[in-house]
């Protein structure tokens, strides 16, 4: 059974700092990994999706990396801003095929302070 | 609309009542998923539709939970005889054939 772990569970950083969020998974036979953002009381916003053939994916100040062999992904946020405060979740699909149910980590709750 | 929508956004039910939660996926998305998110946890898979066919319902916690998507677009998740442990946020997601799932804002269910 696939298990997804995220550390740290919570993180507080001052504005402007660069930071890294970690995601690990037990079954390396994945074909993609997706990072989401969740604001309090809201749904999930997709940030980045990395295919298994990719090692990195970038969107603005966000960079996600994937190392399948070690079962790890990182989300790098550059020059953090208070608006980045949210919970960040990683998820991997459970089955191959056209669409698959996602297994989520428990998330990292990020607070960026002024 | 451009995104996934869900209604109601909030629902308070007395223990034992039946509830129905609606999901409108992105137009043209053949795949639709329901997830349950308990407080402080990541979402957990409930069930999956491809068009109108329910291909996986392995995550439904009991036979009190029932989902349908009769015309391959809008979906309804029904919970019968609600219990306090059903209190959670219920998230709907849809996807096309490119795997990325797009989530709605969720329905927060509180059972009193």
């Amino acid at each position: 059974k696939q298990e997804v772990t995220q550390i740290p569970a919570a993180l507080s950083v001052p504005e402007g700092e660069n930071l890294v969020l970690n995601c690990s998974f037990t079954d390396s036979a994945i074909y993609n990994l997706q990072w989401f953002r969740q604001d309090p009381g809201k749904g999930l916003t997709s940030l980045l999706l990395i295919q298994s053939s990719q090692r990195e994916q970038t969107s603005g100040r966000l960079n996600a990396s994937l190392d399948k062999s070690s079962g790890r992904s990182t989300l790098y946020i550059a020059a953090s801003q208070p608006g980045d405060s949210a919970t960040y979740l990683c998820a991997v699909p459970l089955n191959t095929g056209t669409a698959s149910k996602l297994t989520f980590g428990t998330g990292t709750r990020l607070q960026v302070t002024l | 609309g451009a995104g996934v929508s869900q209604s109601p956004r909030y629902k308070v039910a007395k223990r034992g009542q039946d509830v129905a939660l609606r999901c409108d996926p992105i137009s043209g998305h053949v795949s639709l998923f329901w997830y349950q998110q308990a407080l402080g946890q990541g979402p957990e898979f409930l069930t999956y539709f491809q068009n109108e066919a329910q291909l996986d319902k392995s995550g439904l916690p009991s036979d009190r939970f029932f989902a349908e998507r009769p015309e391959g677009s809008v979906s309804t998740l029904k919970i019968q005889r609600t219990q306090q442990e059903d209190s959670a946020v219920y998230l709907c997601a849809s996807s096309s054939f490119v795997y990325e799932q797009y989530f709605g804002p969720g329905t927060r269910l509180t059972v009193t």
Side-chain angles (χ1 to χ4, degrees):
Chain A
K1 180 187 171 188
Q2 178 75 273
E3 292 184 5
V4 180
T5 304
Q6 290 186 248
I7 53 172
L11 182 62
S12 181
V13 301
E15 182 180 13
E17 208 166 277
N18 303 325
L19 59 103
V20 175
L21 307 180
N22 298 290
C23 171
S24 61
F25 44 94
T26 54
D27 185 347
S28 61
I30 62 169
Y31 62 91
N32 67 48
L33 183 144
Q34 201 166 352
W35 281 94
F36 294 89
R37 168 188 173 133
Q38 187 172 33
D39 292 281
K42 302 289 176 69
L44 277 65
T45 301
S46 179
L47 297 173
L48 290 164
L49 183 145
I50 316 178
Q51 300 291 354
S52 61
S53 57
Q54 299 175 309
R55 291 191 65 83
E56 282 190 6
Q57 189 73 262
T58 298
S59 176
R61 295 182 294 107
L62 305 180
N63 176 278
S65 67
L66 176 62
D67 183 345
K68 276 184 58 178
S69 60
S70 67
R72 292 182 182 178
S73 176
T74 62
L75 180 66
Y76 175 83
I77 302 177
S80 58
Q81 302 171 358
D84 295 331
S85 299
T87 296
Y88 291 80
L89 294 151
C90 67
V92 295
L94 198 55
N95 299 316
T96 59
T98 56
S100 301
K101 53 193 176 187
L102 296 176
T103 299
F104 284 85
T106 52
T108 294
R109 191 169 64 254
L110 172 66
Q111 183 174 16
V112 180
T113 58
L114 292 169
Chain B
V4 178
S5 61
Q6 294 186 245
S7 62
R9 292 293 317 279
Y10 304 92
K11 177 71 178 177
V12 178
K14 287 191 184 337
R15 185 167 164 262
Q17 282 185 334
D18 298 347
V19 298
L21 313 179
R22 177 188 169 106
C23 173
D24 283 82
I26 293 173
S27 178
H29 278 191
V30 298
S31 298
L32 185 146
F33 303 81
W34 284 98
Y35 294 85
Q36 180 190 58
Q37 186 176 25
L39 191 64
Q41 301 297 314
E44 293 196 353
F45 170 80
L46 292 177
T47 187
Y48 158 56
F49 290 85
Q50 187 168 325
N51 295 308
E52 69 278 2
Q54 189 174 17
L55 300 185
D56 188 340
K57 53 182 180 179
S58 61
L60 296 177
S62 77
D63 58 7
R64 296 185 295 103
F65 286 71
F66 172 76
E68 60 183 6
R69 194 186 185 196
E71 296 178 0
S73 56
V74 171
S75 177
T76 304
L77 176 67
K78 297 178 180 178
I79 308 173
Q80 297 176 324
R81 304 181 305 281
T82 51
Q83 304 293 317
Q84 283 197 316
E85 61 262 28
D86 301 334
S87 295
V89 175
Y90 291 85
L91 296 165
C92 174
S94 70
S95 73
S96 65
F97 289 109
V98 293
Y99 311 132
E100 188 168 359
Q101 294 188 22
Y102 296 88
F103 281 77
T107 294
R108 181 176 298 276
L109 172 65
T110 302
V111 181
T112 61

